[in-house]
Amino acid sequence: MSQTTEAPRPAATTHRAKTKPVLSEGKRAERRLGLLLCAPAAIVMLAVTGWPIIYSVWLSLQRYDLRFPAKQEFVGLDNYATVLSNGYWWTAFGTTALITVISVVIELFLGMALALIMHRTLVGRGLVRTVSLIPYGIVTVVAAFSWKFAWTPSTGYLATLVGPNTAVLTEKASALSAIVLAEVWKTTPFMALLLMAGLALVPDDLLKAASMDGAGAWQRFTKVMLPVMKPAILVALLFRTLDAFRIFDNIFILTGGSQGTGSVSMQTYDNLIRGLNLGIGSTMSVLIFIAVAIIAFVFIKVFGTAAPGSDTGRR
Amino acid sequence: MAQPTARRPWWRRGAVATAAAALAAPLVAACGTGAGGGVTLTVYYPPEQHFQNVVDQCNEQAGGAYHIVNLTAPRDADGQREQMVRRLAAGDTSLDILGVDVTWTPEFAGAGWIVPWTGANEAEAKKDVLAGPLASATYDGKLYAATKHTNVQLLWYRDDLVTKPPSTWDEMIADAQQLKAQKKPYKIGFTGAQYEGLVVGFNTLTASAGGKLVSDDGTKAVVDDGAVQALAMLKKFATAGVTDAGLSSAQEQQTALLMENGDAAFELNWPYVYAAMQQDKPDLFPHFKWTRYPSMTPGGQARVTIGGENLAISAYSQHKDEAFKAALCLRSPKMQDYSAVNDGVPPTVASVYDAPDMAKAYPMKDDIKAELATAASRPITPAYQNVSTIMQNLLSPPSAIDPQSTADKMRQAIQDALDSKGVLP
């Protein structure tokens, strides 16, 4: 560490031009050292994140089935044509999109309500906040199993509640509802947490001023709080949409993808791990990657979501 | 520069050393030499209550030449296969003997993950083995596994409700409808969930109708007229009002429960339900009878799908010679007799059926043996798992089958799977 110490420079030499900063010799050396010190970490990061992505793109361009090692060959974009022209893929895509949209919308409303409650609670604030976070703290697979047992005919309490001789998880519509319910129950607290951070941004003085001007509770909510909270809401929506689109564990446990409830991640798992088809499976994971990238792009460029902590704000 | 490593607190160093030792210990156990200078072998086998006793007996017989460690695989077949396949694809040398389901033989052999049996080992593994089970361990003309136990389904019924057991599916459905009209227990238990069990039922129906799903060499999807008849029968069965509301989610367990709860008059299931009924419902047990699986046509014979478990040797095993010997011990006639009596799994060696203790534990052994003589295999191809997944998807729910168009879709999808270019649902 001792080598990096530098004498403070006169103001004139650190003067920056408007267009391009002119760096002094010492500043450049400092920057070079900084880059060198960062390099090992950056290289490791690239190796563990970049390499698998590149490798799966490479695999997606090949016919590569572990059962037929001799038939491995480069097929270009054939796998993409196969997947994108396949009915199963689009069914799964539709199911995933449906689950994503419905669960995120419900979570937004419930999360907002929960955030307001947590924000406004006067007594036992810590306790209320902790209790409402419990679902988020439970491992998804464990929670999914308890949902599954609750829906099992003749033994589960929820199954008994909806009536005898009904098997909720054996029909598409009811099974999808059960999945959405499990998903909403699990992640609403997360949504609420993000929204609560947004609520903290709303200055109390602003609300008091609005109320002086004769704004009712609803008007204060829609005209004052929501606009101020918009960046927080968008970030919460972005996070949840990206997460919901990759839904896997709840479906894996609750239905195993039967009755047409499989998501794209489920289907990728079936092709890659169960079917041992590295080519098709990698193609699907690349497609999911692209879909997620598009969702993020739309949120950031179209809706103007700002990354948390960035100072650019709304566009 | 400072030297911070020297100043690590003592407990920290202790913890690291302990963790390192804990990590290294299983490796040492897996690769090292066992007691008496012999090698340590691992057997990766699904849960079977008394299998550890079999392993212990073999270890004793080995006299120190090898020591077998039993690694219990997950309970469900899919889970077993996934774990095994991942380790094999990565060339894991810590697996020696593998318990493989009969449908995995072509897949594992085709990928080069298991080695063929030759010479004296082959001769001993084939000795006195029934033809059906033996075929399930053979691929491409070579023996890839030693048969451990086999399985076929039977028709179970209640003799207080049914005087003369039906011999065809049509009769069985008509009998059930008659019982329903008389307000008696009438349901027919069948594994109709979207999983391997549904494929087993469909494969039996297809073979019984003289049909074929995949060509013998495993390269062409056939799905002929016999398959269409089987689809029509499944549809008729599922819509005749003789099944439980939960048919499309019923696996073996639910099917057995339907009978045990007194709702069913018939049940199509594996022989283990006999011991289960004896234990769970002793009052119903005296009326719990069996007969051979119903056929598709009057006077015809059912060709039931064969199941079971075989023992194969991993291509990555470091001790193949000992592994062959150990596997032969684990599936020897003596051990098959022991497993049949204690775990209810049907033997693959013909002479075991005549063992004195079999008569009491296995009163249905003659029917099992007769069914094994004409048993049908599921499609023999390395891509079986994909073929099965596709069939499960198209067959579920059975009430929604449209025989001709389902068959056409199935033919196309199976062909894609065989060419490994299709997408799995």
Side-chain angles (χ1 to χ4, degrees):
Chain A
M1 319 292 153
S2 52
Q3 292 96 325
T4 58
T5 48
E6 260 183 70
R9 273 155 200 288
T13 50
T14 53
H15 168 79
R16 284 153 194 261
K18 198 89 184 159
T19 46
K20 203 180 172 205
V22 181
L23 295 177
S24 67
E25 182 65 21
K27 207 82 176 159
R28 271 210 301 276
E30 195 173 85
R31 178 166 286 193
R32 209 173 314 123
L33 180 69
L35 287 176
L36 272 175
L37 290 174
C38 286
I43 289 169
V44 169
M45 285 281 283
L46 273 181
V48 296
T49 59
W51 169 243
I53 294 174
I54 294 167
Y55 187 56
S56 55
V57 171
W58 170 241
L59 280 177
S60 75
L61 301 177
Q62 297 186 55
R63 178 186 162 152
Y64 194 167
D65 190 319
L66 279 181
R67 269 89 45 96
F68 306 99
K71 292 186 189 165
Q72 186 189 341
E73 59 180 342
F74 185 83
V75 292
L77 294 173
D78 273 13
N79 285 334
Y80 288 88
T82 307
V83 173
L84 291 175
S85 63
N86 187 281
Y88 295 137
W89 168 260
W90 290 112
T91 312
F93 194 88
T95 308
T96 313
L98 189 76
I99 293 175
T100 306
V101 170
I102 295 180
S103 63
V104 170
V105 167
I106 298 176
E107 278 162 25
L108 177 64
F109 284 100
L110 290 183
M112 182 62 90
L114 193 58
L116 286 171
I117 293 170
M118 291 200 285
H119 192 64
R120 293 274 163 239
T121 314
L122 296 174
V123 246
R125 179 179 280 205
L127 187 73
V128 169
R129 290 184 182 182
T130 313
V131 166
S132 62
L133 272 174
I134 286 177
Y136 193 64
I138 297 175
V139 180
T140 315
V141 172
V142 175
F145 265 115
S146 55
W147 282 106
K148 187 186 170 138
F149 292 138
W151 288 122
T152 304
S154 78
T155 51
Y157 66 97
L158 285 175
T160 331
L161 212 68
V162 294
N165 257 333
T166 45
V168 168
L169 296 175
T170 62
E171 265 165 61
K172 185 167 181 170
S174 54
L176 278 178
S177 315
I179 290 168
V180 168
L181 178 65
E183 196 60 10
V184 167
W185 176 83
K186 163 94 188 153
T187 47
T188 299
F190 177 70
M191 189 68 123
L193 206 64
L194 288 180
L195 293 177
M196 206 171 71
L199 273 178
L201 290 177
V202 183
D204 259 352
D205 292 345
L206 204 58
L207 291 173
K208 280 181 194 147
S211 130
M212 283 296 286
D213 290 343
W218 180 249
Q219 276 180 319
R220 284 203 301 273
F221 179 65
T222 54
K223 298 268 158 66
V224 181
M225 287 164 87
L226 283 187
V228 177
M229 280 176 72
K230 194 189 157 206
I233 294 175
L234 283 174
V235 167
L237 281 179
L238 171 63
F239 279 16
R240 275 307 305 147
T241 311
L242 292 183
D243 237 12
F245 191 79
R246 295 176 290 127
I247 180 170
F248 178 82
D249 9 23
N250 265 323
I251 300 180
F252 186 78
I253 302 294
L254 282 172
T255 64
S258 63
Q259 344 293 344
T261 55
S263 68
V264 281
S265 299
M266 258 319 277
Q267 200 169 47
T268 307
Y269 172 83
D270 277 346
N271 280 275
L272 199 59
I273 307 291
R274 209 166 270 177
L276 300 177
N277 198 332
L278 301 189
I280 295 281
S282 302
T283 305
M284 288 177 167
S285 56
V286 170
L287 287 172
I288 294 177
F289 180 76
I290 293 172
V292 165
I294 290 174
I295 293 174
F297 181 83
V298 167
F299 265 98
I300 290 170
K301 290 288 173 196
V302 180
F303 297 137
T305 313
S310 75
D311 45 9
T312 44
R314 273 166 288 160
R315 226 160 267 258
Chain B
M1 285 299 226
Q3 48 277 73
T5 42
R7 249 172 257 150
R8 208 189 295 163
W10 64 270
W11 52 269
R12 202 86 173 268
R13 268 174 285 155
V16 170
T18 316
L23 280 173
L27 295 174
V28 172
C31 316
T33 52
V39 295
T40 298
L41 301 170
T42 57
V43 57
Y44 204 67
Y45 194 77
E48 198 177 283
Q49 212 185 341
H50 295 88
F51 187 66
Q52 185 60 49
N53 295 352
V54 173
V55 171
D56 291 343
Q57 288 178 55
C58 281
N59 282 338
E60 214 164 288
Q61 275 183 30
Y66 53 76
H67 180 82
I68 313 167
V69 177
N70 179 20
L71 303 175
T72 308
R75 190 160 293 278
D76 63 307
D78 279 341
Q80 294 156 20
R81 180 180 161 277
E82 269 164 38
Q83 289 205 358
M84 228 183 275
V85 154
R86 277 190 223 176
R87 294 175 74 162
L88 290 168
D92 190 338
T93 54
S94 68
L95 298 176
D96 297 301
I97 308 166
L98 310 170
V100 294
D101 189 280
V102 292
T103 58
W104 305 339
T105 313
E107 176 176 22
F108 286 23
W113 292 329
I114 53 178
V115 289
W117 291 58
T118 51
N121 290 331
E122 184 188 13
E124 196 180 335
K126 278 182 169 174
K127 199 177 147 204
D128 202 22
V129 173
L130 296 162
L134 189 62
S136 75
T138 310
Y139 177 65
D140 215 6
K142 284 185 226 139
L143 185 73
Y144 274 96
T147 58
K148 163 83 174 57
H149 63 77
T150 183
N151 233 340
V152 278
Q153 294 190 342
L154 293 166
L155 168 60
W156 306 87
Y157 65 97
R158 297 232 326 240
D159 70 351
D160 56 334
L161 298 168
V162 185
T163 41
K164 182 181 164 292
S167 62
T168 66
W169 273 77
D170 287 320
E171 277 177 41
M172 181 172 70
I173 293 169
D175 285 356
Q177 283 169 331
Q178 208 180 336
L179 284 169
K180 189 180 185 181
Q182 295 166 0
K183 307 254 182 265
K184 288 181 183 166
Y186 64 92
K187 287 174 183 170
I188 302 174
F190 179 78
T191 51
Q194 184 176 333
Y195 82 121
E196 187 65 29
L198 180 55
V199 176
V200 168
F202 172 63
N203 189 63
T204 298
L205 286 171
T206 305
S208 304
K212 218 180 233 317
L213 297 169
V214 172
S215 64
D216 288 332
D217 60 357
T219 57
K220 282 268 164 307
V222 181
V223 193
D224 55 12
D225 191 48
V228 178
Q229 287 175 38
L231 287 167
M233 183 58 84
L234 260 185
K235 162 114 186 165
K236 178 186 168 183
F237 166 67
T239 52
V242 294
T243 57
D244 185 59
L247 174 72
S248 65
S249 67
Q251 302 197 356
E252 279 97 341
Q253 189 110 30
Q254 289 87 337
T255 308
L257 275 178
L258 196 67
M259 183 59 115
E260 289 185 7
N261 291 341
D263 292 332
F266 303 96
E267 172 186 355
L268 294 159
N269 214 334
W270 308 99
Y272 84 90
V273 296
Y274 186 72
M277 178 67 89
Q278 193 166 17
Q279 203 176 353
D280 299 345
K281 288 286 158 85
D283 52 325
L284 206 58
F285 180 69
H287 295 297
F288 191 56
K289 300 291 178 224
W290 67 90
T291 184
R292 291 187 56 180
Y293 203 92
S295 68
M296 285 286 281
T297 48
Q301 213 174 39
R303 293 193 60 210
V304 294
T305 305
I306 197 165
E309 194 81 15
N310 300 326
L311 296 176
I313 309 302
S314 162
Y316 305 105
S317 167
Q318 305 284 294
H319 310 288
K320 291 200 187 64
D321 291 338
E322 291 86 353
F324 279 115
K325 295 279 175 291
L328 282 172
C329 175
L330 293 172
R331 52 80 59 196
S332 64
K334 189 183 146 210
M335 299 304 173
Q336 291 202 8
D337 184 23
Y338 177 86
S339 296
V341 171
N342 290 288
D343 286 324
V345 289
T348 64
V349 176
S351 60
V352 177
Y353 284 85
D354 304 324
D357 50 356
M358 279 293 282
K360 192 173 166 292
Y362 252 76
M364 54 278 177
K365 66 190 174 90
D366 290 331
D367 288 311
I368 291 179
K369 222 173 149 185
E371 282 191 353
L372 280 172
T374 57
S377 291
R378 279 165 269 181
I380 296 170
T381 156
Y384 176 74
Q385 202 64 31
N386 302 18
V387 171
S388 169
T389 308
I390 280 159
M391 287 200 279
Q392 291 165 26
N393 189 268
L394 289 171
L395 291 170
S396 181
S399 54
I401 290 171
D402 175 25
Q404 192 59 53
S405 83
T406 303
D408 292 340
K409 272 188 228 157
M410 193 180 282
R411 193 177 307 113
Q412 182 58 49
I414 289 179
Q415 189 62 55
D416 281 351
L418 294 175
D419 298 339
S420 82
K421 66 177 185 192
V423 173
L424 289 181

